[in-house]
């Protein structure tokens, strides 16, 4: 019979015997199912529950094999690119930035508070920016916190010597969180790979409000909180802080982590010349009482070759094309990643 085993074996010169064991036919391997974002990022629930653009972004992040790249050659976020958002280095349309005008209107009160912090630090004999000894405190309020921390450490040592172990309490602050607060309060120089002579006084760090610092500047805090849903709080890429540059400072060209945010600079103290920020191919200078808004996923740098301090309030807000639903989904996603 055509196609039978016996006839095929005879044609090939192979003799089949009764003892030949027939192997079962190989089962067809099931085709691998397309992975869903819930498989890549456990704990996020069903994909259908997430906004489509966020789901797409999650998928692309999980399967990306090359660094993220925006439509502009100088837009190269270091961590994530969210497709479908308008890309521009500078943002000047106030209709898309309703929070800018109220922040500018609060300028005088903000500047007065910030200069109070500056004067405290200077009076304590510490520079506003420094390259060493980051644990030293820069003003009286910070010194008080350090003394309280030392008391708590001494109490803990005494309790351990007595064989006492404190029962865990839900109200206790996590040790890592306390350490992060301490680092946030101290005005530190940024990492050397970006630049020196750059000091920071944190108000929100990694999306977390630094309560101790915010109490020092209540007018500034209220002005920031008035930004409302535009504010990138409770999100690891959202920061609000006072940024201080000394003459000779150079913040080297770099990219922000993602194109999810816009960054605003409210000018507080601006040197008259030789001080600028470059985003992509355009340089701009600050004006006191005015806000510059840019997308920091574009290459940017800052140079201060003038005289005196350059001091600005830096505020991160959500990209205006993102919806509130997408913002909440992104918060949940990044929280699950512990980014």
């Amino acid at each position: 019979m055509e196609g039978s085993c016996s006839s095929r074996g005879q044609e090939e010169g192979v003799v089949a015997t009764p003892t030949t064991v027939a192997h079962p036919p190989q089962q067809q391997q099931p085709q691998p199912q397309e992975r869903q974002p819930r498989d890549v990022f456990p704990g996020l629930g069903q994909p259908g529950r997430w906004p489509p653009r966020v789901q797409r972004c999650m998928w692309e992040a999980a399967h990306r094999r090359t660094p993220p790249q925006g439509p502009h050659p100088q837009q190269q976020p270091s961590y994530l690119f969210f497709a479908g958002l308008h890309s521009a280095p500078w943002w000047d349309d106030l209709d898309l930035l309703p929070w800018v005008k109220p922040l500018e209107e609060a300028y005088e009160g903000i500047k007065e508070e910030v200069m109070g912090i500056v004067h405290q630090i200077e009076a304590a004999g510490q520079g506003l920016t420094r390259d060493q000894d980051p644990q030293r405190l820069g003003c009286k309020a910070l010194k008080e916190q350090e003394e309280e921390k030392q008391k708590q450490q001494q109490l803990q040592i005494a309790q351990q010597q007595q064989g006492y172990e404190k029962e865990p309490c839900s109200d206790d602050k996590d040790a890592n969180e306390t350490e992060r607060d301490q680092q946030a309060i101290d005005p530190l120089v940024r990492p050397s790979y970006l630049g020196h002579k750059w000091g920071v006084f944190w108000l929100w760090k990694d999306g977390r409000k630094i309560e101790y610092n915010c109490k020092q500047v209540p007018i500034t805090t209220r002005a920031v909180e008035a930004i409302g849903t535009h504010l990138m709080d409770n999100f690891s890429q959202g920061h609000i802080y006072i940024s201080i540059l000394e003459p000779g400072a150079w913040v080297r060209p770099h990219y922000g982590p993602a194109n999810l945010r816009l960054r605003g600079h409210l000018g507080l103290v601006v040197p008259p010349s030789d001080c600028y920020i470059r985003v992509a191919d355009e340089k701009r200078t600050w004006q006191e009482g005015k806000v510059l808004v840019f997308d920091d996923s574009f290459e940017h740098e800052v140079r201060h070759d003038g005289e005196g301090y350059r001091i600005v309030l830096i505020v991160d807000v959500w990209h205006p094309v993102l919806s509130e639903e997408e913002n909440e989904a992104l918060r949940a996603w990044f929280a699950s990643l512990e980014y």
Side-chain angles (χ1 to χ4, degrees):
M1 179 181 295
E2 185 177 358
S4 67
C5 292
S6 59
S7 61
R8 186 165 57 248
Q10 292 171 359
E11 291 171 359
E12 297 174 354
V14 179
V15 179
T17 64
T19 58
T20 301
V21 178
H23 294 282
Q26 292 185 349
Q27 296 182 353
Q28 186 177 3
Q29 294 294 328
Q31 293 297 322
Q33 295 183 352
E34 184 180 19
R35 292 200 304 169
Q36 298 294 330
R38 67 175 181 273
D39 303 320
V40 182
F41 304 109
L44 291 180
Q46 299 298 321
R49 297 177 56 187
W50 296 89
R53 293 198 302 181
V54 174
Q55 182 174 331
R56 174 185 173 186
C57 183
M58 295 163 70
W59 178 257
E60 291 176 350
H63 294 83
R64 189 182 69 235
R65 295 294 180 267
T66 59
Q69 173 69 58
H72 191 286
Q74 289 181 282
Q75 186 182 25
Q76 300 179 28
S78 58
Y79 179 73
L80 182 75
F81 181 76
F82 192 105
L85 303 182
H86 176 65
S87 294
W90 292 100
W91 287 68
D92 302 310
D93 188 349
L94 294 183
D95 290 337
L96 296 173
L97 309 168
W99 52 273
V100 166
K101 187 176 180 180
L103 190 61
E104 291 178 343
E105 291 173 347
Y107 154 72
E108 292 185 0
I110 293 173
K111 180 176 180 178
E112 183 178 355
E113 285 187 337
V114 170
M115 294 311 297
I117 295 294
V118 169
H119 294 151
Q120 285 187 59
I121 297 174
E122 289 180 326
Q126 299 293 330
L128 294 177
T129 65
R130 52 191 183 274
D131 295 301
Q132 59 184 357
D133 200 7
Q135 294 305 316
R136 294 192 64 182
L137 302 174
C139 66
K140 181 179 179 181
L142 306 183
K143 182 178 180 180
E144 291 173 353
Q145 191 193 39
E146 178 66 12
E147 292 174 349
E148 179 63 25
K149 181 180 177 181
Q150 292 175 354
K151 290 180 182 179
Q152 293 297 328
Q153 290 174 341
Q154 293 171 356
L155 176 61
Q156 184 178 9
I157 293 172
Q159 291 173 343
Q160 290 175 348
Q161 291 174 345
Q162 297 172 6
Y164 170 81
E165 184 174 352
K166 185 179 179 182
E167 292 293 328
C169 175
S170 59
D171 294 332
D172 288 343
K173 203 172 206 182
D174 178 79
N176 292 331
E177 186 176 348
T178 302
E179 180 66 20
R180 287 195 298 267
D181 277 356
Q182 178 61 32
Q183 293 175 355
I185 290 171
D186 196 31
L188 302 178
V189 170
R190 283 292 194 173
S192 59
Y193 72 90
L194 286 181
H196 64 293
K197 299 186 176 181
W198 180 9
V200 170
F201 187 82
W202 293 102
L203 301 178
W204 274 256
K205 189 173 187 295
D206 301 326
R208 297 172 53 254
K209 183 179 180 181
I210 309 301
E211 296 286 351
Y212 190 90
N213 282 10
C214 287
K215 289 178 180 179
Q216 315 304 314
V217 286
I219 295 175
T220 305
T221 300
R222 286 196 297 270
V224 168
E225 290 178 332
I227 294 174
T229 57
H230 302 284
L231 190 67
M232 189 177 262
D233 56 348
N234 298 316
F235 185 68
S236 57
Q237 293 181 9
H239 310 295
I240 296 96
Y241 56 96
I242 309 301
S243 174
I244 306 169
L245 294 182
E246 290 182 345
W250 176 32
V251 183
R252 295 175 177 83
H254 62 289
Y255 304 91
N259 65 326
L260 303 173
R261 71 186 183 195
L262 299 182
R263 175 156 284 185
H265 283 197
L266 173 63
L268 300 177
V269 176
V270 180
S273 62
D274 299 323
C275 188
Y276 68 84
I277 176 172
R278 176 186 64 81
V279 182
D281 296 320
E282 184 179 352
K283 295 179 182 178
R284 295 192 183 185
T285 58
W286 298 269
Q287 296 181 52
E288 294 188 8
K290 296 296 181 181
V291 175
L292 290 177
V293 182
F294 63 97
D295 183 338
D296 76 331
S297 66
F298 286 80
E299 183 186 72
H300 57 288
E301 67 172 326
V302 175
R303 296 208 68 137
H304 177 13
D305 296 319
E307 299 179 353
Y309 291 125
R310 187 241 55 181
I311 304 177
V312 299
L313 169 65
I314 295 181
V315 177
D316 287 338
V317 300
W318 289 102
H319 192 292
V321 178
L322 289 167
S323 68
E324 291 187 29
E325 180 188 17
E326 289 172 328
N327 295 347
E328 289 303 316
L330 288 165
R331 283 188 175 104
W333 174 25
F334 275 63
S336 74
L337 297 175
E338 297 183 346
Y339 174 73

